[in-house]
Amino acid sequence: MNPYEERIYQGFKNELKLYYCGKRIKNRGHSFGPYDRNTYLLYYIKEGSATLISNGCKKEISARGFFVNFPNSQNIYYTNNNSFWSIKWIVVEGAIIENYLSLLDISRDKPFVQLTDSNDIEYLFDEMYENFDKSTLSSKIYCVSLIHKLFSLLSEKVSLLKTENKYIITALDIIGRDFQNPDFNVNTLSKMMGLHYNYFSILFKRETGISPKKAINDCRIKNACKMLKFTDNSVKNISLKCGFSDEFYFSRNFKKVMKVSPTEYRKCEEYLS
């Protein structure tokens, strides 16, 4: 099977111009850029990953991601370690595309959006590919409608991502504020957020890479380190101020994270200073 296919659009030319669409399936060693055309390249990543260089900054982009090559951009992307990836794309032009992207906060500086649920986005790219080179009036109108539908779905997903991001920012603020309370845990945190325990735990780990339980514990240990270094408080007093009701549990927990006991950590800091 040819890993690279492209189809030409023979439809309307108005404020939204469609040029062509294509796909690469399990393509190895793929690279592209800089992009020196006056059109927008809209990409959906089905599988695999690559490095995107945008405005001199490197970013890893991966499956279920949407990204844009803006007109005459200096963006470059390439697959990592000669690995394969599968991507689909649509080439469009028009002021309405610029407006849509601006409203979604997708820009030359931030051309990539990582999606969590993207089956409907992939379906639109597939539908576009199947109908792009058809000459019937209904197919031409359908292709134009698919572009608008694409941005409608992206708007919903970006809005959801922003909402979820706000949840994480709020949760981290609460952890930093309430870690001293020994009764503060993931259960109380999820209730404060108004979210189900399981949903909140999955969301938090997906967005931060660690569980909320670990985030709370890390915050407590981090603040314990500061107090051991900058105060003369006893280990027992520090454990209480950092949300540990049991000094011995605190010491075991501290050593598990920091690889030394609280007392050894304090001595080491005193020696280094």
Side-chain angles (χ1 to χ4, degrees):
M1 181 179 69
N2 187 352
Y4 173 78
E5 298 180 26
E6 207 161 64
R7 294 186 175 180
I8 307 299
Y9 177 76
Q10 303 292 339
F12 306 116
K13 293 186 180 296
N14 49 24
E15 81 284 354
L16 174 58
K17 300 178 182 179
L18 311 183
Y19 287 93
Y20 55 91
C21 68
K23 60 183 178 180
R24 289 181 179 272
I25 306 300
K26 296 187 182 301
N27 197 207
R28 289 187 179 276
H30 179 218
S31 64
F32 182 82
Y35 184 62
D36 59 357
R37 304 176 192 176
N38 294 320
T39 51
Y40 292 87
L41 261 166
L42 312 179
Y43 290 94
Y44 170 74
I45 307 171
K46 176 180 175 62
E47 59 183 339
S49 62
T51 298
L52 173 67
I53 303 177
S54 175
N55 286 347
C57 297
K58 285 187 178 182
K59 180 177 181 62
E60 298 304 309
I61 56 178
S62 56
R64 297 186 303 279
F66 173 85
F67 75 100
V68 181
N69 254 339
F70 284 76
N72 301 308
S73 72
Q74 296 302 305
N75 286 2
I76 298 172
Y77 65 77
Y78 54 88
T79 53
N80 303 315
N81 300 322
N82 199 34
S83 59
F84 74 83
W85 75 341
S86 297
I87 59 172
K88 304 174 182 184
W89 66 85
I90 305 167
V91 181
V92 295
E93 182 185 9
I96 196 168
I97 301 298
E98 182 179 359
N99 292 337
Y100 279 157
L101 292 171
S102 176
L103 290 170
L104 292 173
D105 198 27
I106 299 174
S107 65
R108 292 176 184 270
D109 292 330
K110 296 184 293 182
F112 177 75
V113 178
Q114 182 66 63
L115 306 170
T116 54
D117 177 15
S118 61
N119 290 338
D120 45 4
I121 298 292
E122 183 179 1
Y123 172 77
L124 290 182
F125 274 80
D126 289 339
E127 279 291 285
M128 183 70 73
Y129 184 80
E130 291 301 319
N131 290 275
F132 221 70
D133 57 353
K134 294 180 180 179
S135 58
T136 64
L137 177 61
S138 62
S139 293
K140 294 173 183 178
I141 295 173
Y142 183 53
C143 283
V144 170
S145 73
L146 287 175
I147 294 295
H148 294 287
K149 179 62 175 177
L150 170 64
F151 281 101
S152 175
L153 286 175
L154 284 171
S155 176
E156 294 174 6
K157 294 178 186 299
V158 168
S159 177
L160 178 60
L161 289 171
K162 287 182 178 179
T163 300
E164 291 178 341
N165 188 50
K166 288 180 181 178
Y167 280 136
I168 301 306
I169 292 172
T170 300
L172 291 172
D173 285 342
I174 294 173
I175 291 173
R177 183 192 71 199
D178 291 357
F179 72 91
Q180 293 175 305
N181 181 357
D183 295 324
F184 178 67
N185 54 34
V186 179
N187 189 43
T188 55
L189 177 58
S190 62
K191 287 181 179 178
M192 293 170 74
M193 298 296 299
L195 300 174
H196 188 276
Y197 178 95
N198 289 338
Y199 171 74
F200 171 69
S201 297
I202 292 170
L203 172 63
F204 191 96
K205 186 166 185 177
R206 190 187 75 208
E207 296 298 315
T208 66
I210 62 173
S211 68
K213 181 178 180 180
K214 186 175 188 309
I216 294 171
N217 191 65
D218 286 352
C219 181
R220 284 170 168 160
I221 297 299
K222 179 181 177 181
N223 280 274
C225 287
K226 290 180 180 178
M227 296 184 71
L228 287 165
K229 183 176 180 179
F230 296 111
T231 75
D232 294 326
N233 291 345
S234 67
V235 171
K236 181 178 181 179
N237 187 260
I238 290 174
S239 68
L240 292 172
K241 288 187 175 183
C242 290
F244 295 95
S245 56
D246 185 324
E247 177 187 354
F248 297 105
Y249 173 71
F250 163 67
S251 295
R252 289 196 304 272
N253 198 331
F254 188 95
K255 188 169 185 177
K256 183 178 179 180
V257 175
M258 301 304 296
K259 310 305 179 187
V260 293
S261 69
T263 302
E264 291 170 334
Y265 179 87
R266 171 172 273 168
K267 288 179 179 178
C268 182
E269 289 297 325
E270 288 175 352
Y271 175 77
L272 291 175
S273 60

